[in-house]
Amino acid sequence: MSELRTTDESGPTEVRVSAVVGAPVERIFELLADPARHGELDGSGMVRAAEGTGPLTGVGQRFVMEMLWTDGVREYRVENHVTRYEPGRALEWLVADHGHDPQGWRWGWVLEPRPDGSTAVANYCDWSAVTDPEVLRAKGFPVVPAEQVAATVRRLDEAVRPVPGPS
């Protein structure tokens, strides 16, 4: 099977990568709504594990993730605040350093079911609402480049791809 073709749709304050994934939207959304699975999908190597959470069920929930900074050394935690939860359509959260309020950047997924049973998928990080120059400097957006977001989308595809049965 050929490698999933991704498209970089990034802009000045957003990294966005899209692809058509060969799985139904329900299977994809179920996987994305489970923070415990985010580490296996992450193409950046930063997401380590979800801390004490089950699957997401709605806006307003929070989930904590164990992380590793881009230097590959510094460990930290983030608290994600779910801001969009539309089963089979979209999932988004604001990111906050653990114990602090969100500072304006969000990660999310947009899903669009297709008639053939596949799903158009977009994964993004948007920092357009970050106005504090110190936050912009400290985080160094984009923290995760488009190539690593594309790797996340490819890992999602691999995770939901049907396993071939015996021939």
Side-chain angles (χ1 to χ4, degrees), residues 49-73:
E51 183 180 285
T53 187
L56 302 172
T57 58
V59 170
Q61 282 184 283
R62 296 178 183 186
F63 61 100
V64 174
M65 301 298 291
E66 300 290 336
M67 306 289 293
L68 183 66
W69 190 242
T70 57
D71 62 9
V73 176

Side-chain angles (χ1 to χ4, degrees), residues 31-106:
L31 175 62
L32 296 175
D34 185 356
R37 305 281 309 269
H38 289 192
E40 75 184 75
L41 301 178
D42 175 45
S44 72
M46 294 176 69
V47 177
R48 295 303 188 203
E51 183 180 285
T53 187
L56 302 172
T57 58
V59 170
Q61 282 184 283
R62 296 178 183 186
F63 61 100
V64 174
M65 301 298 291
E66 300 290 336
M67 306 289 293
L68 183 66
W69 190 242
T70 57
D71 62 9
V73 176
R74 191 173 25 153
E75 296 178 351
Y76 65 103
R77 294 172 23 182
V78 295
E79 184 175 10
N80 298 307
H81 302 241
V82 178
T83 56
R84 187 173 178 195
Y85 182 92
E86 299 172 38
R89 294 287 180 190
L91 183 61
E92 180 183 85
W93 55 90
L94 282 168
V95 181
D97 293 328
H98 192 263
H100 298 276
D101 291 331
Q103 296 172 310
W105 69 96
R106 60 188 73 242

